[in-house]
């Protein structure tokens, strides 16, 4: 087999935008059968990989990446894995080779011979050498996908790097606008939170992700490849509420979002607050509790959208379920009614005082809505 002839033809085909499928399959088949080796392929690509011309280096890396993606694990010698990882890490500083370096390492990470040290080397090269936001969407998406794969498959390597992974990821994500890339990125954050204590860098990562709240984009009609707004909202919500260290920074802006004119934004804010009660400390809700209850009351009474009312009541129940156990039991409705002038003593009073006033007035208004507020509050202690 004349491997150099096949490689040269492959390179020419890349320049002509030709279909190289048959050449690609030929290389893979011969390596699998043992007619040639991965080392011989690298040697045949040597002049291209070491060329001073960026286009030649790119094409050489392209060929190697294509073959690695299709090779079965058994066809890659264990000793070659580390050397290939080191090679592609060294090329991360070469922008023209980055797309193929990322896809190659993504292919290599599936191998049993890909070690935690390989993962650490790859992550360090990615964070140090690759300015992700300078590349087109396809390459950015590949970078996020590689990080996601390493977080899932090499958790010990991620734990070893600790804060460096968190800061590197925050740097990668900063400025990202494509919903497809954001979807991958948002899904990485809860996985990171399980492996690394985010406390030291909570503000850095939170600032990068919360700037996307609320999600307002609309997908293209009839395009099944696009990410749906609801799916992206759900992924962002999971990211925002994945760590208790985000609580102090998240509650105030989330409560502020409940005052938005858009029903969609209101619902998103309420649903995120509801999700946050399962993770954040109860204490972080208390400073904004009065403002939240006032807005929920307004939405339950005034909002024409039943979905807003439902989301608001769910948030009320969830928040009071979180904060009530830390507070002494509220006095009875009769006792509250006897002394409305008393200062508030418990979180429940934010709901009860207005409810008592409304229900004991000569001209009772909105009794059904007041009843819904009281029922949601009562369910919180059930």
């Amino acid at each position: 087999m004349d491997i150099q002839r096949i490689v040269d033809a492959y390179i020419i085909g890349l320049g002509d935008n030709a279909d190289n499928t048959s050449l690609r399959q030929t290389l893979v088949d011969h390596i699998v059968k043992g007619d040639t080796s991965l080392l011989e392929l690298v040697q045949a690509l040597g002049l291209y990989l070491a060329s001073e011309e960026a286009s030649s280096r790119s094409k050489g890396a392209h060929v190697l990446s294509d073959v690695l993606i299709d090779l079965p694990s058994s066809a890659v010698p264990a000793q070659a894995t580390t050397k290939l990882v080191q090679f592609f890490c060294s090329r991360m500083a070469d922008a023209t080779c980055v797309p193929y370096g990322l896809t190659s390492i993504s292919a290599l990470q599936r191998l049993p011979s890909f070690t935690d040290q390989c993962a650490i080397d790859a992550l360090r090269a990615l964070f140090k050498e690759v300015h992700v936001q300078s590349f087109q969407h396809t390459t950015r998406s590949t970078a996020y996908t590689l990080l996601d794969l390493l977080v899932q498959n090499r958790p010990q390597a991620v734990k070893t790097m600790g804060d460096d992974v968190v800061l590197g990821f925050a740097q990668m994500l900063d400025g990202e606008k494509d919903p497809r890339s954001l979807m991958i990125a948002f899904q990485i954050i809860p996985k990171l939170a399980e492996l690394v204590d985010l406390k030291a860098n909570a503000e850095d990562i939170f600032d990068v992700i919360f700037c996307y709240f609320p999600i307002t984009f609309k997908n293209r009609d009839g395009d099944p490849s696009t990410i749906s707004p609801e799916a992206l909202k759900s992924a962002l919500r999971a990211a925002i509420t994945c760590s208790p260290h985000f609580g102090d920074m998240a509650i105030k802006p989330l409560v502020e979002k409940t005052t938005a004119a858009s029903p969609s934004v209101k619902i998103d804010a309420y649903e995120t607050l509801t999700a946050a009660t399962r993770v954040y400390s109860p204490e972080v809700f208390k400073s904004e509790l009065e403002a939240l209850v006032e807005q929920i009351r307004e939405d339950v009474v005034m909002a024409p959208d039943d979905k807003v009312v439902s989301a608001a009541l769910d948030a009320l129940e969830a928040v009071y379920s979180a904060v009530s156990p830390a507070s002494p039991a509220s006095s009875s409705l009769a006792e509250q009614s006897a002394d409305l002038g008393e200062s508030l003593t418990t979180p429940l009073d934010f709901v009860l005082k207005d409810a008592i006033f409304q229900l004991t007035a000569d001209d009772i208004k909105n009794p059904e809505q007041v009843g819904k507020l009281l029922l949601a509050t009562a369910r919180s202690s059930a």
Side-chain angles (χ1 to χ4, degrees):
M1 172 189 175
D2 188 351
I3 190 172
Q4 189 65 59
R5 179 183 60 78
I6 297 175
V7 164
D8 291 341
Y10 204 136
I11 295 290
I12 293 172
L14 290 175
D16 295 337
N17 293 319
D19 182 359
N20 282 326
T21 303
S22 61
L23 292 174
R24 178 176 180 169
Q25 192 59 51
T26 297
L27 288 172
V28 170
D29 289 344
H30 281 286
I31 293 174
V32 170
K33 292 176 182 178
D35 297 334
T36 189
S37 67
L38 193 55
L39 175 60
E40 289 174 315
L41 172 61
V42 173
Q43 291 173 336
L45 288 167
L47 290 176
Y48 300 104
L49 294 172
S51 174
E52 293 184 358
E53 295 183 1
S55 62
S56 293
R57 296 196 304 275
S58 176
K59 291 172 185 175
H62 191 160
V63 173
L64 186 52
S65 174
D66 283 352
V67 173
L68 287 173
I69 289 171
D70 283 359
L71 276 179
S73 300
S74 58
V76 182
Q79 65 270 25
T81 303
T82 299
K83 292 181 179 180
L84 285 168
V85 171
Q86 291 173 342
F87 169 75
F88 284 112
C89 285
S90 71
R91 293 304 174 99
M92 289 297 185
D94 184 355
T96 192
C97 292
V98 165
Y100 308 111
L102 295 173
T103 53
S104 296
I105 294 174
S106 294
L108 291 167
Q109 65 81 37
R110 77 185 192 277
L111 304 178
S113 52
F114 186 92
T115 65
D116 283 346
Q117 187 59 52
C118 289
I120 290 172
D121 290 343
L123 288 170
R124 285 176 175 165
L126 174 62
F127 296 146
K128 180 180 179 181
E129 305 293 352
V130 182
H131 181 210
V132 173
Q133 293 305 314
S134 68
F135 290 90
Q136 294 181 346
H137 161 258
T138 302
T139 301
R140 301 200 311 274
S141 180
T142 304
Y144 295 123
T145 299
L146 173 59
L147 176 57
D148 189 29
L149 288 169
L150 294 177
V151 169
Q152 290 185 70
N153 299 333
R154 294 292 163 180
Q156 191 55 51
V158 174
K159 290 179 181 179
T160 299
M161 292 188 66
D163 291 345
D164 289 344
V165 177
V166 178
L167 292 174
F169 173 68
Q171 178 180 303
M172 282 177 63
L173 181 58
D174 191 14
E176 182 59 61
K177 295 180 180 179
D178 191 283
R180 295 162 294 181
S181 291
L182 289 173
M183 188 70 177
I184 302 170
F186 292 160
Q187 292 173 335
I188 291 172
I189 297 167
K191 300 170 190 174
L192 268 183
E194 292 182 2
L195 300 175
V196 180
D197 186 353
L198 301 182
K199 184 176 181 179
N201 301 292
E203 185 173 356
D204 294 286
I205 194 71
F206 180 80
D207 287 346
V208 171
I209 61 175
F210 196 80
C211 68
Y212 295 103
F213 189 90
I215 299 294
T216 57
F217 94 101
K218 296 181 179 179
N219 57 349
R220 297 189 294 272
D221 292 338
D223 186 351
S225 68
T226 59
I227 300 296
S228 74
E230 289 306 316
L232 197 58
K233 287 179 183 180
S234 179
L236 177 57
R237 183 176 304 128
I240 291 172
T241 61
C242 73
S243 170
H245 299 307
F246 294 157
D248 286 330
M249 296 171 283
I251 296 303
K252 184 174 182 178
L254 283 172
V255 171
E256 289 174 350
K257 295 297 184 183
T258 65
T259 67
S262 166
S264 176
V265 174
K266 280 181 177 290
I267 293 170
D268 201 359
Y270 282 132
E271 290 182 346
T272 304
L273 284 165
T274 298
T277 62
R278 296 188 283 270
V279 180
Y280 294 173
S281 165
E283 293 300 316
V284 302
F285 293 92
K286 292 183 178 180
S287 63
E288 300 299 323
L289 187 57
E290 183 174 10
L292 176 60
V293 170
E294 288 179 359
Q295 186 57 46
I296 290 174
R297 183 186 300 118
E298 179 180 322
D299 283 333
V300 170
V301 173
M302 303 293 293
D305 191 326
D306 289 342
K307 292 181 180 178
V308 172
V309 174
S310 178
L313 291 172
D314 286 346
L316 182 66
E317 179 180 347
V319 170
Y320 270 106
S321 291
V323 303
S324 293
S327 305
S330 179
S331 54
S332 69
L333 292 182
E335 292 170 337
Q336 288 285 347
S337 180
D339 191 5
L340 293 176
E342 291 287 329
S343 60
L344 299 177
T345 58
T346 74
L348 287 173
D349 292 325
F350 293 129
V351 173
L352 296 178
K353 188 169 184 178
D354 182 78
I356 293 167
F357 178 80
Q358 294 289 342
L359 295 176
T360 57
D362 293 335
D363 182 16
I364 299 178
K365 297 179 179 179
N366 307 308
E368 182 180 351
Q369 288 78 7
V370 173
K372 290 179 178 179
L373 290 166
L374 289 173
L375 181 59
T377 308
R379 282 199 301 261
S380 71
S381 59

